[in-house]
């Protein structure tokens, strides 16, 4: 007797889309059978032509708790994730207070998250000036790697590292390092302005290009793995391709906003579109899509980085003063699917970018796939249904999103975490570590 059987004529599995009946016992996928076969089960769900996908894995989420819980929090962020088909998140080491830069800070964050998580949660550590001696212990405590900024992070308690400090950090711990790649020498202070073009010109593509080169150089010198976060500038792609060709362990991700939004269409004063690095033009997005298609960019993740409406300076529309971050953990799947299908990509492609490959990046073989032995993290996804984004109906703590009013394709009907339906009533998420 299985605990749960979920059937779909359109199940997205590693080998592609096919009819299947997925049988679950004790939170684990125990068997994959023909769609119509009779199976003994306590609960049998037939999705018919609604797609069955694995739960997404979002390795770039800022939950901000403890310390800035008014911006977001574990309860709201993980409820929003589940509503968007995301069953695993990896939380960034900032903008919480304290930032996750040593073992005591990790313990404080886990204490704050206990009993609040509706999906499974792992944690990144942070590399900042002077904390290289703390990194081996933090890694041993189970963080999935270390985030470093090469430019100002926006919060004083998480300062950037220079080349020498990044080298010292990467030499200190045999870990995955994930890097916010903008070079401060190529950035300029944005003048107070409601014009998006003024903000964009303050963070040119050259800043990303130079910082990606630095990260690659340090990875080559230390032999460590480096992952470029939220790549916005397609001009840096050849550097990554060349480094990989000679054996440097470098990978890259991008985000829904860089793939689907166009700088030319951002209204002046619309600070909900501000993020760092910035949204660039449509031709740049085309090159990012091409890099996804050929595997040079491996992952699409949210970089969910919310704040209160006041910090977005929506009253003045001043891009220089506004907090930079896009809130989108609940919307990533339909945003990407809407554009991907128009470009001829399949839902299997989207699952690879947003579930399988992020799980592989951080070493979670039981996540991001429908396969025997994997966690039964499953999503019923209707790829043809449409909806209009209502910011006030989202589960994010604050109703600020650049997608408000947009019509998107694809609706998440049900999310299961380890075989149990996520309803938002009872948090059942677990903490994940590198040994998970």
């Amino acid at each position: 007797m299985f605990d749960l059987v979920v059937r779909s004529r359109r199940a997205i599995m590693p080998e592609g889309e096919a009819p299947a009946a997925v049988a679950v016992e004790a939170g684990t996928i125990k068997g994959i059978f023909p769609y119509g076969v009779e199976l003994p089960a306590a609960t049998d769900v037939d999705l018919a032509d609604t797609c069955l996908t694995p739960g997404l894995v979002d390795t770039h989420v800022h939950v901000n708790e403890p310390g800035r819980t008014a911006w977001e929090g574990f309860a709201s962020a993980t409820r929003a994730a589940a509503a968007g088909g995301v069953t695993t998140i990896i939380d960034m080491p900032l903008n919480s207070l304290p930032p996750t830069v040593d073992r005591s800070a990790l313990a404080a964050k886990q204490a704050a998250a206990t009993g609040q998580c509706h999906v499974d949660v792992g944690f990144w550590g942070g590399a900042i000036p002077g904390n290289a001696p703390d990194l081996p212990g933090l890694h041993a405590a189970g963080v999935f790697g270390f985030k470093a900024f090469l430019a100002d992070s926006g919060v004083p308690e998480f300062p950037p590292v220079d080349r020498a400090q990044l080298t010292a950090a990467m030499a200190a711990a045999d870990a995955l390092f994930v890097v916010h790649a903008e070079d401060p020498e190529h950035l300029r202070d944005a003048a107070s302005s409601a014009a998006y073009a003024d903000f964009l010109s303050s963070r040119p593509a050259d800043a990303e290009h130079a910082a990606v080169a630095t990260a690659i150089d340090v990875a080559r010198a230390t032999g460590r793995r480096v992952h470029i976060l939220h790549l916005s500038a397609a001009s840096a792609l050849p550097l990554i391709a060349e480094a990989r060709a000679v054996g440097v362990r470098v990978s890259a991700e991008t985000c829904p906003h860089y793939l689907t939004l166009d700088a030319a269409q951002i209204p002046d004063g619309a600070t909900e579109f501000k993020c760092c690095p910035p949204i660039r033009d449509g031709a740049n997005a085309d090159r990012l899509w091409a890099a996804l298609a050929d595997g040079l960019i491996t992952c699409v993740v949210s970089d969910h980085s919310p704040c209160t409406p006041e910090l977005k300076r929506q009253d003045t529309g001043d891009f220089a003063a506004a907090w930079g971050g896009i809130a989108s953990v609940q919307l990533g799947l339909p945003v990407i699917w809407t554009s991907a299908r128009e470009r001829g990509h399949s839902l299997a492609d989207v699952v690879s970018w947003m579930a399988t490959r992020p799980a592989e990046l951080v070493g979670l073989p039981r996540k991001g796939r429908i396969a025997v032995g994997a966690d039964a993290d499953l999503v019923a996804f209707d790829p043809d249904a449409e909806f209009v984004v209502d910011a006030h109906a989202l589960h994010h703590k604050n109703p600020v999103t650049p997608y408000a009013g947009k019509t998107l394709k694809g609706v998440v009907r049900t999310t299961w975490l380890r075989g149990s339906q996520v309803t938002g009533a009872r948090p059942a998420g677990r903490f994940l570590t590198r040994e998970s």
Side-chain angles (χ1 to χ4, degrees):
M1 175 70 70
F2 295 111
D3 299 327
L4 172 70
V5 171
V6 184
R7 305 170 187 273
S8 171
R9 295 190 183 96
R10 300 185 62 189
I12 309 299
M13 297 176 289
E15 59 272 20
E17 181 179 313
V22 178
V24 178
E25 183 180 336
T28 299
I29 297 173
K30 292 296 186 181
I32 299 174
F33 301 94
Y35 168 75
V37 70
E38 291 189 14
L39 296 167
T43 303
D44 194 312
V45 178
D46 190 346
L47 300 179
D49 292 324
T50 295
C51 292
L52 181 65
T53 77
L56 304 189
V57 177
D58 193 338
T59 55
H60 196 148
V61 177
H62 295 266
V63 177
N64 304 335
E65 186 175 11
R68 292 189 174 97
T69 312
W71 296 17
E72 192 61 281
F74 283 99
S76 53
T78 58
R79 191 179 288 112
V86 178
T87 52
T88 299
I89 67 168
I90 311 296
D91 172 65
M92 282 293 171
L94 72 165
N95 303 301
S96 56
L97 292 170
T100 316
V101 295
D102 56 33
R103 293 186 75 154
S104 64
L106 175 63
K109 180 167 283 192
Q110 290 172 328
T114 297
Q116 294 203 74
C117 299
H118 296 272
V119 302
D120 287 352
V121 177
F123 303 92
W124 293 106
I128 61 173
N131 84 324
D134 295 305
L135 302 187
L138 190 51
H139 202 227
V143 298
F144 285 87
F146 298 100
K147 180 176 187 176
F149 274 76
L150 297 183
D152 181 21
S153 72
V155 291
E157 67 276 1
F158 203 97
V161 294
D162 59 23
R163 180 190 292 260
Q165 291 162 337
L166 181 62
T167 301
M170 293 177 74
D174 186 6
L176 171 62
F177 283 80
V178 298
V179 176
H180 179 121
E182 290 183 288
D183 189 319
E185 296 299 318
H186 291 76
L187 302 176
R188 65 173 179 81
D189 291 336
S192 178
S193 173
Y196 182 75
D198 290 341
F199 166 66
L200 178 59
S201 68
S202 74
R203 305 188 89 93
D206 286 351
E208 285 190 79
H209 191 280
V212 168
T214 296
I216 288 172
D217 286 347
V218 176
R220 181 185 291 111
T222 59
R224 302 301 195 211
R225 290 172 63 201
V226 67
H227 180 73
I228 305 302
L229 297 170
H230 46 47
L231 184 70
S232 158
S235 61
L237 289 167
L239 286 176
I240 297 168
E242 292 162 9
R244 289 177 62 163
V246 296
V248 179
R249 296 192 294 166
V250 58
S251 56
E253 68 187 34
T254 193
C255 304
H257 38 283
Y258 301 130
L259 293 165
T260 66
L261 301 176
D262 185 339
Q265 298 177 7
I266 296 177
D268 288 349
T271 53
E272 63 270 24
F273 288 86
K274 180 181 177 180
C275 55
C276 300
I279 296 161
R280 304 191 190 278
D281 60 37
N284 181 82
D286 289 341
R287 292 178 64 191
L288 296 177
W289 278 105
L292 263 179
D294 68 19
L296 184 56
I297 295 176
T298 57
C299 306
V300 179
V301 293
S302 70
D303 189 12
H304 178 71
S305 185
C307 67
T308 61
E310 293 76 19
L311 289 174
K312 272 297 187 183
R313 299 294 193 269
Q314 292 182 309
D315 54 339
T316 64
D318 184 354
F319 277 96
W323 175 260
I326 303 288
S328 63
V329 70
Q330 186 172 339
L331 296 172
L333 177 56
V335 166
I336 289 298
W337 173 236
T338 299
S339 292
R341 63 187 290 164
E342 293 174 353
R343 292 172 177 266
H345 295 291
S346 69
L347 185 56
D349 292 331
V350 173
V351 165
S352 176
W353 302 329
M354 302 187 77
T356 310
R357 288 180 180 172
E360 291 172 348
L361 172 72
V362 295
L364 289 174
R366 293 175 59 91
K367 300 294 188 181
R369 67 190 68 229
I370 296 177
V372 174
D375 286 353
D377 299 345
L378 304 168
V379 175
F381 181 68
D382 187 340
D384 299 316
E386 287 187 348
F387 71 103
V388 177
V389 177
D390 176 358
H392 291 276
L394 298 174
H395 292 285
H396 307 161
K397 181 165 285 189
N398 293 292
V400 180
T401 172
Y403 303 108
K406 293 185 180 296
T407 299
L408 299 178
K409 285 273 193 182
V411 172
V412 172
R413 301 295 188 191
T414 307
T415 299
W416 291 270
L417 178 68
R418 282 175 273 103
S420 295
Q421 184 176 342
V422 183
T423 65
R426 184 180 66 85
R430 297 174 180 171
F431 293 157
L432 303 175
T433 65
R434 288 182 301 106
E435 293 77 24
S436 297

